[in-house]
Amino acid sequence: MIRRHFLYLLLLLQLCIETYQWPFSYWWSGTSSKSQLPVHKAISAAANSLFPRVLNFFPEPVAEDCISSDKRRRGVCMNTYDCQERRGHASGSCALGFGTCCIFITDCSGEVQNNMTYITNPGFPNLVDHPMNCSILVKKVDQQISQLRIDFHHFNIGQPNRKTGVCDDDIMVVRSGARTLHLCGWNSGQHIYVDIGEEPVTINFRLPGSMTSRMWEMSVQQLGFEQRAPAGCLQYARSANGTLRTLNYLPNGRYLANYDYLICVRQEYGMCSIAYEPCGRDSFRIGSSRRLRNATTLQQITTSEAPSIFDFDYEGSGASAEQQFSAVGGSDGSATKKCRDRILIPCDFEEFITPGNDGTGICDLEHCGISFCPMTATTTTTTTTTKQRPQTTSSENGPNCRVETSALPFHIRVDFGPAGVETAATPPEDMTGMCLSYEQIPCAS
């Protein structure tokens, strides 16, 4: 029995010493030489190198994401001491129990100096119902960082002006170098990408009124060059299918004026095309309806009549209307009005699938009005005491309205002009914005 225990002890010593690259012969030599250490020095050296490793399993933060114990937030896996030193909140374990999931949270007048940091309103999840200003500074954690991704888990502050789309009252201002982004309204579930250089990025909330209840919870993730979104993309979807919405999209909301940005979609492996369709019947509302009102067919129009015959552009596609009006050639040019607010989908080919029409349509770059696709309409004529006016009925934004394109890269340009007289005269219910579902289509075999 004693012999067996002695052999176990020798085996354990051999494993420990060989792990730290001490020759096993050190333990059997009682004499010192230039090539070997004495036994007691070898033991002392092994112990000194062993104990610090035992006492500190994670001397440096582990570069891995983790999930908090309540499954609500993402954090950084590190040892408990480092988490406390960096003013984080330990929430659950990681790395097989050897580390802790460290969650970083800041609010007003704070600084973001750690990756994956949450920014909340004071007292979150309680609401803010009093005037206040709030400023946050975001600093790079590493020189390789070139971009920030800001996710709005909860974001609800004052709505923009319903007529103009301008953030007159509550506003969040993100400033990165010379670029400034203004945001207000309801944007929960949305995200934006912001470039960051040598200068910090500032996030400022200006909340002047006391009649509005606000709440926000945002996460700021710092990205290296290999993780960043393509240049020019304010939003970047990274899945084969999903939903794309304009900022402050709500059934009773108002899209923000004076915005020009790209919503990009990463092309997945084996996918060559992408299809878009409205999320629901009324999920595309960008400006007033541009239906054909005063003529049954375009062939009935004469050059001299063109400026007065149309009240609006053609529904669903400003580009198509431009071509039609240009062919007519109005004398004062008033009939060649483009869509003031619109989205543009690059295309080498578009397929419109609408009720009663399964054929291929022309490539329309521009989409606006209250119908994403050109409307399929049946026109009837009603006789009045003054003139004949067609009344158009259609299935607008029905479930079969679909636009496909193979143009690369996949993206949608959102181009909302500044507030003006025209936008102020448009009914608010026609300016809620856009919600589109997208699906990438595999390459033909």
Side-chain angles (χ1 to χ4, degrees), residues 92-106:
S93 61
C94 55
L96 301 178
F98 291 106
T100 187
C101 191
C102 193
I103 309 297
F104 298 103
I105 307 172
T106 189

Side-chain angles (χ1 to χ4, degrees), residues 260-279:
D260 190 352
Y261 64 95
L262 297 181
I263 303 177
C264 304
V265 180
R266 182 180 65 184
Q267 183 185 10
E268 299 298 319
Y269 178 78
M271 303 295 177
C272 289
S273 303
I274 189 168
Y276 305 98
E277 60 183 304
C279 300

Side-chain angles (χ1 to χ4, degrees), residues 201-220:
V201 170
T202 59
I203 302 176
N204 297 313
F205 285 87
R206 296 200 297 266
L207 313 174
S210 58
M211 302 299 293
T212 304
S213 297
R214 307 97 164 180
M215 180 176 66
W216 63 86
E217 180 190 27
M218 311 178 296
S219 62
V220 180

Side-chain angles (χ1 to χ4, degrees), residues 109-325:
S109 302
E111 289 188 358
V112 175
Q113 297 181 330
N114 301 281
N115 201 1
M116 189 51 66
T117 298
Y118 286 82
I119 300 174
T120 64
N121 62 276
F124 179 86
N126 295 324
L127 302 177
V128 175
D129 57 2
H130 57 273
M132 66 172 297
N133 292 329
C134 182
S135 181
I136 302 98
L137 198 65
V138 182
K139 297 181 178 180
K140 291 168 52 169
V141 299
D142 188 88
Q143 286 301 315
Q144 299 300 317
I145 299 300
S146 66
Q147 200 173 59
L148 306 177
R149 175 178 167 127
I150 304 177
D151 283 272
F152 302 107
H153 305 285
H154 299 280
F155 189 96
N156 187 13
I157 63 176
Q159 285 287 319
N161 188 305
R162 287 294 301 274
K163 292 184 178 180
T164 65
V166 176
C167 299
D168 290 336
D169 296 320
D170 290 359
I171 187 172
M172 184 190 77
V173 181
V174 181
R175 183 172 286 105
S176 174
R179 185 178 182 185
T180 302
L181 178 73
H182 294 176
L183 199 61
C184 62
W186 188 87
N187 292 286
S188 299
Q190 300 265 40
H191 72 273
I192 58 173
Y193 284 83
V194 179
D195 289 339
I196 182 171
E198 295 303 320
E199 296 295 324
V201 170
T202 59
I203 302 176
N204 297 313
F205 285 87
R206 296 200 297 266
L207 313 174
S210 58
M211 302 299 293
T212 304
S213 297
R214 307 97 164 180
M215 180 176 66
W216 63 86
E217 180 190 27
M218 311 178 296
S219 62
V220 180
Q221 183 180 6
Q222 305 199 16
L223 306 175
F225 289 97
E226 70 282 355
Q227 298 173 297
R228 60 174 291 129
C233 298
L234 183 65
Q235 297 182 306
Y236 188 40
R238 299 171 179 261
S239 59
N241 54 74
T243 302
L244 308 176
R245 293 178 292 156
T246 50
L247 296 172
N248 193 40
Y249 174 79
L250 277 175
N252 61 343
R254 168 64 159 88
Y255 59 79
L256 303 180
N258 201 21
Y259 256 89
D260 190 352
Y261 64 95
L262 297 181
I263 303 177
C264 304
V265 180
R266 182 180 65 184
Q267 183 185 10
E268 299 298 319
Y269 178 78
M271 303 295 177
C272 289
S273 303
I274 189 168
Y276 305 98
E277 60 183 304
C279 300
R281 180 177 180 81
D282 298 319
S283 63
F284 190 90
R285 289 289 187 272
I286 303 178
S288 297
S289 175
R290 288 160 169 82
R291 298 177 184 176
L292 184 62
R293 290 191 175 182
N294 297 327
T296 54
T297 63
L298 290 174
Q299 287 77 9
Q300 297 176 359
I301 304 169
T302 64
T303 302
S304 60
E305 294 172 333
S308 61
I309 285 182
F310 292 94
D311 294 325
F312 297 98
D313 293 344
Y314 186 77
E315 177 70 22
S317 173
S320 180
E322 293 301 312
Q323 295 168 359
Q324 301 290 0
F325 286 129

